[in-house]
Amino acid sequence: MAVSFNHTIVYAADKKASAEFFAEIFGVGPPQPMFGYFMTVTLEGGVALDYADAGGSVQSQHYAFLVSENDFDGIFARIQSAGIGYWADPARSRPGQINHNDGGRGVYFTDPSGHFLEAITRPYGSGTG
């Protein structure tokens, strides 16, 4: 049996705001209400991010997304245009920079609920650098 990833729940301080932020920055379709409880952002292959209100404090999580070089250009331009802080590394020791790990490009930034998002153009271990 093949195993593939289908969906995950992303708890947020404001599910609508976080889902809209993600959809805008990553350039995907707008979030849709699901089951009256979630705001769902659908990604490639039908994978879904189901945003839900946390109803209290949000535990920051890390979510990484593999994107094309062209998509990275758009994502990075939208991050900069919105004045969102970004880093080249997960330790946040290289602010205002992107990385070139494995011969690609990568950037880290936070969403409105404090989740640490990452866009990369090459999977880790796939190249040099």
Side-chain angles (χ1 to χ4, degrees):
M1 175 180 167
V3 176
S4 60
F5 188 72
N6 180 262
H7 72 277
T8 192
I9 297 172
V10 180
Y11 287 103
D14 178 334
K15 68 184 177 190
K16 187 174 187 290
S18 288
E20 288 174 349
F21 172 88
F22 182 91
E24 173 64 27
I25 294 296
F26 279 87
V28 299
Q32 300 297 315
M34 184 72 65
F35 304 122
Y37 184 75
F38 300 110
M39 288 300 292
T40 298
V41 177
T42 303
L43 306 177
E44 181 84 17
V47 172
L49 301 176
D50 293 331
Y51 284 84
D53 287 325
S57 64
V58 175
Q59 176 67 40
S60 177
Q61 300 290 316
H62 173 67
Y63 299 96
F65 300 90
L66 183 62
V67 302
S68 71
E69 289 288 339
N70 286 339
D71 287 335
F72 186 92
D73 290 339
I75 291 164
F76 189 53
R78 288 186 289 273
I79 290 169
Q80 292 179 304
S81 176
I84 298 166
Y86 60 91
W87 301 267
D89 62 316
R92 302 178 195 197
S93 65
R94 295 169 51 203
Q97 300 177 49
I98 65 169
N99 67 57
H100 297 278
N101 298 342
D102 292 298
R105 294 182 290 165
V107 64
Y108 295 83
F109 59 101
T110 58
D111 83 349
S113 290
H115 294 302
F116 204 39
L117 305 179
E118 178 182 9
I120 55 174
T121 61
R122 298 281 306 261
Y124 290 122
S126 66
T128 61

